[in-house]
Amino acid sequence: MAVLLSMKGLEKTFVMHYLHGEHVVGCNNISFDLNEGEFIGITGQSGAGKSTILKTIYRTYLPTGGKLIFHSDQFGPIDLVTANEREIIALRKREIGYVSQFLNVMPRVTALEVVMDVILEMGISMIEAEEQAKKMLAHFQLSESLWNSFPRTFSGGEKLRLNLAQAMVKKPKLLLLDEPTASLDDASKQSVKEMIEQLKKSGTSMIGIFHDLEFMETVVDSHYHLENGALNKKVVV
């Protein structure tokens, strides 16, 4: 099986300027390979550095050490640690998706437009983009009455489902999931599971962090536990 992402000695240290330049380690010496079509789940206590790992891959945070070799359709093997901003933006548009617990969108953009914009960036026609967006919103059980509403009025669960729809509609090569079932009811969790299974079948690789271990065990192929800065493989499902 081909490796999609190879992580070697990943490090992220934060400089706390308000604490006179004190250094805080977010993650240190993190190494693993993610294969094409594989889903790796990461667990650990709050503050252990799970989200830091995802954000360094997505380059929300700039890593301070190590290598992240991603096998891109656009650029071939590329180190996400040293890639320039133009390359990172291009990868986010077409190949790497990120689902956060928090929704960050323009204030006066409707839910339908949030999902459509992602599809339009991929060069899809307006008619096809609208059709795909509506299917994805329906899959995640967002009521049709909300499609033309502004997401700032949504509940926490509705915002998360919109985030999932926005990230998954482009069927990225790599999808990063930060607590993808937080605040979701059982029916919504089932929708997430079905979409994850569809994406895996189509070749999407995923890394997710979880507190919901029961859900995680139904979708991941491998389970790593982060503790004291070390990432240990615990379970192969």
Side-chain angles (χ1 to χ4, degrees):
M1 188 177 295
V3 174
L4 178 69
L5 179 71
S6 184
M7 184 182 300
K8 304 295 183 186
L10 179 70
E11 297 179 5
K12 175 58 184 176
T13 301
F14 299 93
V15 180
M16 314 304 286
H17 295 287
Y18 67 94
L19 293 176
H20 309 291
E22 181 178 339
H23 287 64
V24 175
V25 176
C27 63
N28 182 47
N29 197 28
I30 305 297
S31 301
F32 63 82
D33 288 341
L34 176 69
N35 295 319
E36 292 180 355
E38 182 182 19
F39 192 168
I40 289 176
I42 301 175
T43 59
Q45 293 184 342
S46 296
K50 304 183 301 297
S51 291
T52 299
I53 293 173
L54 294 193
K55 289 177 179 178
T56 51
I57 296 171
Y58 198 61
R59 271 282 293 274
T60 307
Y61 294 157
L62 182 64
T64 48
K67 290 183 177 294
L68 279 170
I69 306 301
F70 176 72
H71 293 269
S72 164
D73 289 339
Q74 301 172 78
F75 306 111
I78 183 171
D79 188 351
L80 302 180
V81 174
T82 57
N84 62 45
E85 289 302 311
R86 179 187 62 80
E87 291 166 333
I88 293 298
I89 290 169
L91 289 169
R92 288 176 178 174
K93 281 185 177 181
R94 294 184 176 271
E95 300 188 60
I96 303 177
Y98 186 96
V99 176
S100 168
Q101 299 175 55
F102 308 103
L103 184 64
N104 183 22
V105 296
M106 298 294 288
R108 299 193 66 79
V109 176
T110 68
L112 181 60
E113 289 169 337
V114 166
V115 182
M116 282 183 63
D117 286 348
V118 174
I119 307 169
L120 291 169
E121 283 184 345
M122 299 171 64
I124 306 298
S125 71
M126 181 70 73
I127 293 174
E128 179 66 18
E130 183 174 356
E131 182 179 340
Q132 289 186 28
K134 287 179 176 179
K135 285 181 180 178
M136 189 61 73
L137 290 170
H139 176 84
F140 283 110
Q141 301 176 13
L142 272 169
S143 170
E144 191 169 346
S145 63
L146 296 175
W147 293 359
N148 291 309
S149 300
F150 301 131
R152 60 182 171 77
T153 66
F154 290 8
S155 69
E158 288 166 345
K159 288 178 180 176
L160 178 54
R161 280 181 275 154
L162 178 57
N163 249 351
L164 288 160
Q166 179 189 34
M168 292 182 169
V169 73
K170 65 181 178 182
K171 299 180 174 65
K173 288 191 71 173
L174 173 61
L175 182 59
L176 307 169
L177 299 159
D178 188 345
E179 293 290 349
T181 58
S183 72
L184 295 185
D185 57 26
D186 288 342
S188 297
K189 287 181 182 180
Q190 182 61 31
S191 298
V192 175
K193 181 180 177 182
E194 290 171 2
M195 184 54 60
I196 286 172
E197 290 171 345
Q198 289 179 30
L199 290 173
K200 285 178 69 175
K201 287 178 182 177
S202 66
T204 294
S205 305
M206 287 171 266
I207 303 172
I209 61 177
F210 295 89
H211 286 297
D212 187 344
L213 300 184
E214 184 177 351
F215 177 86
M216 183 194 74
E217 290 171 355
T218 67
V219 294
V220 302
D221 302 296
S222 301
H223 170 193
Y224 288 82
H225 187 73
L226 184 61
E227 187 173 7
N228 297 323
L231 194 65
N232 301 304
K233 194 167 187 177
K234 304 293 287 185
V235 178
V236 178
V237 181

